[in-house]
Amino acid sequence: VWACLSPQIRIFYTSSSNLLIEEVADALNGFIGTDKDETLYSAIFGITKDIKSKNTGDVFNIEGRSGKGFSLILRTSGGSTTGIHPNLIIVDDAVGQKDRTSQAERDEKEKWFDTLNPLLVPWFDPVSTMKIETILYIGTVWHFRDLTNYILKKNETLPDHLKWDIEIESIYKPGERPKSNYPD
């Protein structure tokens, strides 16, 4: 996104797995260097870490960022969203072990998910007039009434101009008689 669109785009990445968050942070640290000759990605795209700004395991800043907020914030799903002003939110596997077995946890995750949309701040490209103000949700369905189902049901009630674009991998195995792949 930063290389192809703009280093000014601010991203919030969230997952239920701390391990996945750490893997994403480690991968970014491997791709993006502090100068243009440190990594191939930085050399090709000119995207480098901003060493004058905060860079930790859960906050990442690159050169060229402007305005309020960090280039990337990584946090566990269901947690705090204080101080986040993203243009793009990536919700990657937000459902954790507790959501799979507890209705109360699923209810809390739904409330948390509803707080994400108001956080979005639009980013405009003045040349192409492209606008980014997006939530990308990626998830495995672990329960019939988990967050994915909540999003699908909520989408049915929205006016057309507010509906999500949804693509779903089948819950059925190809070539088999239709049978749910849900663990429960």
Side-chain angles (χ1 to χ4, degrees):
V1 171
W2 295 322
C4 296
L5 299 176
S6 171
Q8 293 190 29
I9 295 173
R10 295 183 311 275
I11 303 169
F12 173 43
Y13 178 89
T14 182
S15 173
S16 66
S17 168
N18 275 325
L19 181 59
L20 185 55
I21 288 172
E22 289 171 12
E23 287 176 7
V24 169
D26 288 345
L28 281 172
N29 282 319
F31 276 104
I32 301 175
T34 55
D35 66 56
K36 291 184 180 169
D37 297 326
E38 188 175 337
T39 68
L40 183 60
Y41 178 88
S42 292
I44 292 172
F45 296 110
I47 302 296
T48 58
K49 289 181 207 167
D50 182 352
I51 57 173
K52 294 177 227 112
S53 295
K54 182 177 185 177
N55 286 293
T56 65
D58 62 348
V59 174
F60 197 85
N61 282 294
I62 60 170
E63 288 285 338
R65 177 189 59 86
S66 64
K68 191 173 185 178
F70 302 104
S71 298
L72 171 67
I73 293 179
L74 302 110
R75 294 205 178 136
T76 54
S77 57
S80 172
T81 55
T82 303
I84 298 174
H85 309 281
N87 311 114
L88 171 63
I89 298 174
I90 302 170
V91 180
D92 186 2
D93 233 352
V95 176
Q97 186 64 38
K98 290 180 182 177
D99 303 76
R100 299 173 195 179
T101 58
S102 168
Q103 183 62 49
E105 290 288 333
R106 290 190 293 274
D107 292 346
E108 285 302 311
K109 196 65 66 84
E110 290 172 7
K111 291 176 192 170
W112 167 82
F113 187 80
D114 285 340
T115 68
L116 296 180
N117 202 47
L119 299 174
L120 286 170
V121 176
W123 172 83
F124 293 99
D125 178 17
V127 177
S128 69
T129 66
M130 178 188 295
K131 174 183 166 187
I132 294 181
E133 186 179 18
T134 304
I135 297 176
L136 174 63
Y137 177 86
I138 306 159
T140 303
V141 177
W142 291 102
H143 189 280
F144 283 110
R145 290 178 308 277
D146 70 8
L147 187 57
T148 303
N149 181 65
Y150 173 74
I151 293 167
L152 291 170
K153 293 293 181 198
K154 187 172 184 171
N155 202 49
E156 291 173 4
T157 67
L158 295 173
D160 286 343
H161 71 283
L162 293 176
K163 285 192 184 293
W164 286 58
D165 293 325
I166 297 177
E167 293 182 30
I168 301 174
E169 258 185 56
S170 176
I171 62 170
Y172 303 107
K173 293 180 182 176
E176 284 188 6
R177 197 167 136 253
K179 173 181 123 187
S180 172
N181 285 335
Y182 291 102
D184 62 352

